[in-house]
Amino acid sequence: MTPARDWRAAVTCAGPRAVEAVRRRGIGGAGRRLRLPGAAPTMTQQGAALQNYNNELVKCIEELCQKREELCRQIQQEEDEKQRLQNEVRQLTEKLARVNENLARKIASRNEFDRTIAETEAAYLKILESSQTLLSVLKREAGNLTKATASDQKSSGGKDS
């Protein structure tokens, strides 16, 4: 590439504002006279200075373009990471919702088990109390029958035999 094409490519990389600024001023400020210290500069000196300025300008613009490209690469990496993390958050949120639903169902089932067990234990205690009462009544009646039978045998005195 020729130096003129180099700066144009670099300026194009820098953006439309830089291109417009160079068009207005000309390449390296060629519309202005350069003031070098000492004697009046010759056309050759002015051309050499202009070439040096142009080379520095192109170098600076290229460096800026490289920095911009690196920054663009970093931005893309971070956007990719952000997207990945957002997907993970979405998946974890969905998973959390499923776990919460399952947990709620299981807690409801456990509460139902607790209620059923409590009712069954209460009924069982009533059955035990009724059995104990029945046994007491049965023993008392058996005792009463035994006494009645014994007193009947005494009062009959064995006449029936």
Side-chain angles (χ1 to χ4, degrees), residues 98-156:
R98 286 191 305 270
V99 168
N100 281 336
E101 289 171 8
N102 289 337
L103 187 59
R105 280 196 303 273
K106 288 178 181 180
I107 288 173
S109 294
R110 182 188 66 190
N111 292 341
E112 186 65 25
F113 275 113
D114 290 345
R115 187 186 59 76
T116 302
I117 290 169
E119 289 174 359
T120 304
E121 286 176 342
Y124 181 69
L125 287 175
K126 286 182 182 179
I127 291 170
L128 284 179
E129 289 173 5
S130 297
S131 296
Q132 190 176 13
T133 304
L134 179 61
L135 183 59
S136 297
V137 169
L138 184 60
K139 284 182 180 179
R140 186 180 65 223
E141 290 299 318
N144 290 340
L145 285 174
T146 305
K147 287 180 188 176
T149 312
S151 65
D152 283 346
Q153 286 179 353
K154 285 185 188 177
S155 55
S156 59

Side-chain angles (χ1 to χ4, degrees), residues 12-72:
T12 302
C13 175
R17 288 186 193 159
V19 171
E20 185 58 32
V22 170
R23 281 188 189 141
R24 274 186 275 134
R25 284 187 236 127
I27 302 171
R32 291 184 238 141
R33 271 209 193 254
L34 299 176
R35 302 279 182 210
L36 297 178
T42 65
M43 287 297 279
T44 307
Q45 290 172 332
Q46 284 181 342
L50 180 60
Q51 186 63 40
N52 287 336
Y53 293 142
N54 186 45
N55 290 340
E56 286 184 41
L57 177 64
V58 169
K59 180 180 167 188
C60 288
I61 292 173
E62 286 174 350
E63 288 174 2
L64 290 174
C65 287
Q66 289 173 353
K67 288 179 182 180
R68 182 184 182 280
E69 288 172 8
E70 175 62 21
L71 185 60
C72 287

